[in-house]
Amino acid sequence: MRLAARGLRLVGAVAAGAVTALVGLLFVLLAAPFADRPAVRTAVGWLTRLELRRLRLDLPGRNEDGELRYLAARTLVGLLGGMVMLLLVVGLGAAIMLAWSWGRGEAMDGMLPTPPLLAYALLAGSVLLFLEVCGLVGVEALERRLAVRLLAPDPTEALRRRIDELTVSRAGVVAAVDAERRRIERDLHDGVQQRLVALSMLAGRARRGRPELLEQLHEQAQQTLGELREVAWRVYPSGLDAHGLAEALAGVAERASVAVKVTCELPERLPAAVETAAYFVASEAVTNAAKHSGATLVTIEVRQEGTMVIVRVEDDGTGGADATGGGLTGLAQRVAALDGRLTLTSPSGGPTVVEAGLPCA
């Protein structure tokens, strides 16, 4: 079934390419004298994107100066595909007519079906069909190669862009780690440390003959342990190593002050770095929703699409989240360090959707 679908898609792509080749040829002949005009460049870009979509080819940062040249060059390949399609139609028509006539016991070109003739027709038809398939595959491969050759960015320029991206990503990671360190220090100094001082003073008063303070001392100790545990989870959730992402996210749902629904559908355990980033994206998004959005329900969905892991967090709050906020900026930098992407959709009135795509291969 999948092979048949791929075959139909191939035939459709080559047939469409033959049609657009004629349109492209006419366009190039008419537009070439006015190639510098903005309207012509816009039309050239639109036709090029249409061709790349037909070929299911993604060329980020493509060379726009080569688009008109590409449209002109692909005309010959498109017309070649049209000839292959014409031969396919003629061959299928002949086969249908032959089968129709012989099926009714009638002669075809004066020939009645005999075993040697049937064997000859079957063998010749199989060879021609094989050649047709090769022709279709070859035309599509030639089109894809031509598009990459004329539209892909210069290798030196692509390398320079990649170096720039890595430089920005490295600076972002350093900034994110520094911000996280300051937040942990603030939590320890303003929270846990102050509570330990109060706990020490309370223990001193209890030792000086105030046994009724022991119960309060116990409550203070429990609260301090809870805060210390929260800080430790912000540094790194120990359950992530032991039990995996699904259990760690279930822990996020249990500790959250709003209702959280978790759906984690992964065929296998993720690499440690990807798993950690996915956890912090979900955890931070839930924390932001509970603090700022007024949400009553947050849904976490983790799934794998090809080589990417998608983490999607949606809440039913009031929306209006700021993508430049410290928390989301830190998450974006953490995701970018893995060559991933983070998107935020938060219209006024909600809902807010945070989605991260993390490569895992």
Side-chain angles (χ1 to χ4, degrees):
M1 191 66 185
R2 183 177 299 180
L3 187 62
R6 290 182 60 184
L8 290 175
R9 188 202 62 77
L10 177 63
V11 171
V14 175
V19 175
T20 57
L22 295 174
V23 177
L25 176 61
L26 181 62
F27 175 82
V28 170
L29 292 176
L30 294 176
F34 315 100
D36 294 334
R37 295 190 178 183
V40 173
R41 294 180 68 88
T42 301
V44 169
W46 185 81
L47 287 174
T48 303
R49 288 192 295 275
L50 186 66
E51 294 296 338
L52 294 179
R53 185 176 302 176
R54 178 178 61 82
L55 296 173
R56 299 197 304 175
L57 195 60
D58 185 22
L59 295 175
R62 69 176 185 270
N63 177 21
E64 296 183 356
D65 292 336
E67 290 179 344
L68 187 60
R69 188 175 48 176
Y70 162 71
L71 291 177
R74 73 156 302 271
T75 299
L76 294 177
V77 185
L79 294 178
L80 177 62
M83 295 176 64
V84 173
M85 286 299 303
L86 180 62
L87 291 175
L88 178 63
V89 172
V90 171
L92 288 177
I96 292 173
M97 290 178 60
L98 195 63
W100 175 261
S101 299
W102 285 356
R104 301 177 60 185
E106 298 177 355
M108 178 74 178
D109 290 337
M111 297 181 294
L112 288 172
T114 60
L117 192 56
L118 286 173
Y120 171 77
L122 183 61
L123 178 62
S126 299
V127 172
L128 291 176
L129 182 61
F130 173 76
L131 293 177
E132 277 292 334
V133 172
C134 291
L136 292 172
V137 173
V139 167
E140 189 191 49
L142 189 58
E143 282 217 65
R144 295 174 69 90
R145 188 165 184 174
L146 183 66
V148 172
R149 177 69 180 81
L150 296 180
L151 296 177
D154 180 73
T156 303
E157 178 66 18
L159 182 60
R160 188 188 63 79
R161 290 181 182 178
R162 182 58 178 159
I163 292 174
D164 291 343
E165 290 175 359
L166 291 176
T167 302
V168 173
S169 175
R170 185 186 62 179
V173 170
V174 172
V177 170
D178 193 44
E180 190 66 20
R181 180 182 59 79
R182 286 199 299 270
R183 189 172 73 164
I184 294 170
E185 288 176 351
R186 187 170 58 250
D187 290 344
L188 289 173
H189 182 270
D190 298 340
V192 178
Q193 182 176 332
Q194 298 301 321
R195 194 171 288 279
L196 284 174
V197 171
L199 187 64
S200 175
M201 295 173 63
L202 195 60
R205 291 169 60 191
R207 288 184 59 189
R208 290 194 296 270
R210 299 284 302 278
E212 69 276 12
L213 295 178
L214 288 175
E215 184 177 352
Q216 187 179 351
L217 181 66
H218 180 261
E219 292 178 359
Q220 289 275 358
Q222 293 296 319
Q223 292 176 3
T224 305
L225 282 174
E227 289 190 9
L228 192 58
R229 191 177 298 116
E230 284 294 324
V231 172
W233 272 83
R234 288 175 194 167
V235 176
Y236 187 79
S238 57
L240 194 58
D241 280 339
H243 307 295
L245 183 60
E247 289 297 323
L249 293 179
V252 172
E254 290 178 1
R255 294 192 304 277
S257 58
V258 297
V260 178
K261 180 181 178 183
V262 179
T263 304
C264 186
E265 298 176 345
L266 296 173
E268 57 185 7
R269 198 89 191 253
L270 302 175
V274 177
E275 202 170 55
T276 304
Y279 170 82
F280 279 109
V281 167
S283 178
E284 184 69 24
V286 170
T287 301
N288 287 342
K291 285 184 177 178
H292 308 299
S293 73
T296 58
L297 176 64
V298 181
T299 58
I300 303 174
E301 181 184 353
V302 183
R303 66 182 188 278
Q304 188 160 356
E305 293 182 358
T307 59
M308 300 288 287
V309 171
I310 307 298
V311 181
R312 188 175 189 275
V313 182
E314 179 177 349
D315 67 61
D316 60 353
T318 56
D322 182 10
T324 61
L328 288 174
T329 301
L331 284 183
Q333 291 168 339
R334 183 188 287 270
V335 171
L338 298 175
D339 284 338
R341 56 176 171 74
L342 182 80
T343 58
L344 169 70
T345 305
S346 184
S348 181
T352 296
V353 178
V354 177
E355 184 170 298
L358 298 162
C360 57

